[in-house]
Amino acid sequence: MPALPSSIIEPLWCQFEMLLPPVEDSHPLGCHRPRVPDRIVFDKLVSRLVLGGAYTKHADDRVSATTLRTRRDEWTAAGVFAGLEQAVLEAFDWLVGLDLEHLSVDGCCVKAPCGGDNTGANPTDRGKSGQKRSVLCEGHGLPIGVVLTGANRHDSPLLRPSLERLSRFGFHLPETIRVDLDAGYDSSVTRDLLTELGCHWKISPKGTYIKINHTRRWMIERTNSWHTRGFGLLQVVLDRGEKAQQAWTHLANAIIVIRRLLKE
């Protein structure tokens, strides 16, 4: 059973294939084992992203775990995963339109039992190794930027690098931008930063209960749920290297945008 329906995986692969770098075969005799087709590797990587688990669990007689890792690193170095995310965001902006006037930022802590880059002691999980994703989403709830760090980091210092992810759109930004934040960002430091960046804000005050459906923050909570409930590899981080972690995040965001684009 495929990890994703064909209505999503096929357009995703078409765009992904266009970004793949050309293969250079420099073997002097040309007698090495034939290269595993990119489509097979791509389907296996998507399955691992959705279902989670080790590479050996997804390897079979067609492709080995070593080939999956090697091809992942090859495509990551070529910027294919980041390019795919950028391409689908631009497609959504062209066909539907990204709502960059209303932004939300929030952090989400997940387990990272293998440790590695961007991990730390999770104070909400008895000090076990964990990772925090600071997610920036636009008015439709689509993720347009993710910052990875250790679970022991506070949300507030991650606000600037999260908002700086808007640079991917160049100068095509609205004149007025409002950022919705929860009580964890309620400080003068946050307000000074948003003033410096020329953004308006709506921050839930500390010590006051406000129903989430009375604000626009429910969209960022839904986005975090899409990440953790839709992708097993984002719920439990198993890769230790930062480049691999970023690659899985780019691929997951691209799938979310493609799914929303087809729905629209």
Side-chain angles (χ1 to χ4, degrees), residues 92 96-100 102 137-143 216 218-219 222-223 226 260 264:
F92 187 93
V96 181
L98 292 170
D99 183 6
L100 299 179
H102 302 92
C137 77
E138 47 85 65
H140 297 96
L142 300 179
R216 297 185 64 92
W218 67 271
M219 291 189 177
R222 183 184 62 177
T223 305
W226 284 342
R260 184 58 183 270
E264 292 287 342

Side-chain angles (χ1 to χ4, degrees), residues 26-195:
S26 59
H27 197 282
L29 301 179
C31 58
H32 53 76
R33 295 180 61 184
R35 179 182 173 92
V36 178
D38 291 333
R39 178 60 192 269
I40 294 178
V41 179
F42 175 77
D43 288 343
K44 290 293 183 180
L45 293 179
V46 171
S47 296
R48 182 172 186 259
L49 172 64
V50 175
L51 303 177
Y55 288 96
T56 54
K57 297 295 183 181
H58 297 274
D60 54 20
D61 58 336
R62 298 178 299 169
V63 57
S64 66
T66 301
T67 300
L68 292 177
R69 296 189 191 94
T70 303
R71 205 72 62 87
R72 176 208 65 191
D73 294 339
E74 176 185 324
W75 292 343
T76 300
V80 178
F81 294 102
L84 176 66
E85 182 188 22
Q86 183 69 22
V88 296
L89 281 173
E90 292 176 357
F92 187 93
D93 192 26
W94 181 62
L95 294 172
V96 181
L98 292 170
D99 183 6
L100 299 179
E101 295 184 358
H102 302 92
L103 306 178
S104 301
V105 182
D106 198 9
C108 176
C109 291
V110 295
K111 295 179 180 294
C114 299
D117 299 332
N118 302 315
T119 61
N122 189 348
T124 65
D125 191 22
R126 296 172 292 175
K128 295 181 180 180
S129 178
Q131 184 179 88
K132 174 173 285 189
R133 288 191 299 268
S134 180
V135 182
L136 169 68
C137 77
E138 47 85 65
H140 297 96
L142 300 179
I144 56 177
V146 177
V147 175
L148 302 179
T149 186
N152 55 332
R153 294 286 306 278
H154 194 272
D155 289 342
S156 184
L158 303 176
L159 180 59
R160 179 186 288 273
S162 298
L163 292 175
E164 287 176 350
R165 293 296 190 268
L166 287 172
S167 61
R168 70 191 314 164
F169 302 110
F171 296 99
H172 303 287
L173 295 176
E175 296 182 358
T176 304
I177 297 177
R178 194 185 84 173
V179 184
D180 289 75
L181 304 167
D182 64 14
Y185 300 88
D186 186 15
S187 67
S188 58
V189 176
T190 298
R191 293 180 176 83
D192 292 342
L193 171 62
L194 294 175
T195 301

Side-chain angles (χ1 to χ4, degrees), residues 202-214:
K202 185 174 183 180
I203 305 176
S204 300
K206 292 180 179 179
T208 302
Y209 174 73
I210 300 177
K211 292 184 178 180
I212 193 170
N213 58 348
H214 291 180

